[in-house]
Amino acid sequence: MRRAMLALLWVLSGLAQAEDETPPPRLATADVLAAAVEADWRSPDPADTVYLQLPGGRVVFELAPQFAPKHVANLKRLIRQRYFDGLAILRVQENYVVQWGDPNAAVEQKARSLGDAERQLPGEFFVADRNLPFVALEAEDAYADRVGFVAGFPAAQDTDGGRTWLAHCYGMVGVGRDYASDSGSGAELYVTIGHAPRHLDRNVTLIGRVLTGMEYLTTLPRGKGELGFYTSPDRHVVITSMRLASQIPPQERTRLSVIRTDRPIFRKLVAARTFRREAWFVDPVERLGLCNMPIAVRVSSPD
Amino acid sequence: MRRAMLALLWVLSGLAQAEDETPPPRLATADVLAAAVEADWRSPDPADTVYLQLPGGRVVFELAPQFAPKHVANLKRLIRQRYFDGLAILRVQENYVVQWGDPNAAVEQKARSLGDAERQLPGEFFVADRNLPFVALEAEDAYADRVGFVAGFPAAQDTDGGRTWLAHCYGMVGVGRDYASDSGSGAELYVTIGHAPRHLDRNVTLIGRVLTGMEYLTTLPRGKGELGFYTSPDRHVVITSMRLASQIPPQERTRLSVIRTDRPIFRKLVAARTFRREAWFVDPVERLGLCNMPIAVRVSSPD
């Protein structure tokens, strides 16, 4: 049954040949990418691209305003008033998250002002838009009825398509919050750095995905406190700056492009990842999990 | 349907109360662990426990001889002749693996001798024992028909139970190999440091699981070469030593215990992880993926 479903996926992918007798040419990921044309790539909007500059290097992430419009707008307000510059990485928990914000956020006299940004926002945990361009993946998933991709982001859906939400795969960017579902604002952010913590799905607002620079987060020293919080301000890694790419002169931007998830190329990449053709595999599993599907990023300038 | 299955799991877990009308008390993970008795914990056999000593600290992993007897025996031969001491971390690939071995393994004159250890072994990719004590998890899984745990290790199975194999969850230890399925020996090992690369399941021999010290691997600088290999020997992190715990005086061992996966406590922990009771959750997903189930380790001495 599963094989049949995957075969169908294969046919839909456009790789099937005319002759039914001949198995379609199954390609390795590298071969599919090598055959990609320029239209298969997109350049993220600089107004929706964030640079988190750390002493070690630049982390670049793309925002997903279609999933969290209020949080994205608020985060942009914070970034424009340079809210994050000089704040710090507060938490690095093994196999879980890196989190940053104001070390003094809870100290009324010392907390940095959020300026014209909202102090708290209702959670944007899912969207109810049934017309989202959801590119389904034929995969079993432990946490959702349906999984797939929307405009370059891993996502999940109810069976009836009623709710769609971003999935906590590796490298997703979320909005830290307190106990109340409306206690987040964007002033504290996290990135997932381990096995996808999908139990967080629909419980916290995701706002984007890291495109490059994950290693500047994942190699940070783990916090020794509870939940991986650093126990002393001496340990904090200070944030050099956080900017929208659109605020930066073009020549200083990280030039990158992302594979389109809404074109046939992506179906071919899914097939290549499902049916592994690389010579190393002796017993290809012929299955694929949502968070195991890379969304290729091509960096054409050093970051 | 899924809810019904999970409810059944709940009943089996031994937490159900006598009165059918009353919902069982659902506990948080911390509460279940706090109520654990000594018999719920086990101390891994020192003869099956390995210390990988790096400049940053000690990585402790437990071997799984029931899944890979030949590789485990060969690895022990290598460890006993101090094969790994002074060798190096060769590869750190973001969201994938850390790998170590002999930097000169491919250079005939310079390669370190494997002594009395085998140069290559047939892959031990699965076991065909239908009597394995497989503790099933009621979870959808992208890569296998059934998933669960065997003696403290995450595992997967065919529907008919014909083959059982260790699953590439975060922190699993595997045997690097070349193209041929029998080209591994244990002289090159890897640990998974990102989202579980389950497509490797049944294609490479897994031999154990890291119990503590993951951060000494995950924070290592990423290699800049292809597949995350370091491009220069200057970059290699040198291995101080690799020992079986049984070779070390008891007072120098890392004292730790692991929660038993074959006792009711583990069912309760699975339930706690599935039905999140922590106040933070606003919309508990009530599902659980194989590699999202922690197998608790209690360290009672500093490593």
Side-chain angles (χ1 to χ4, degrees), chain A residues 46-58:
Chain A
D48 284 324
T49 304
V50 178
Y51 296 158
L52 167 65
Q53 192 71 42
L54 297 177
R58 179 186 279 178

Side-chain angles (χ1 to χ4, degrees), chain A residues 241-257:
Chain A
S241 67
M242 210 161 110
R243 296 281 181 280
L244 296 168
S246 54
Q247 295 179 292
I248 304 273
Q251 67 275 15
E252 293 173 26
R253 295 181 194 163
T254 301
R255 282 196 295 280
L256 50 76
S257 44

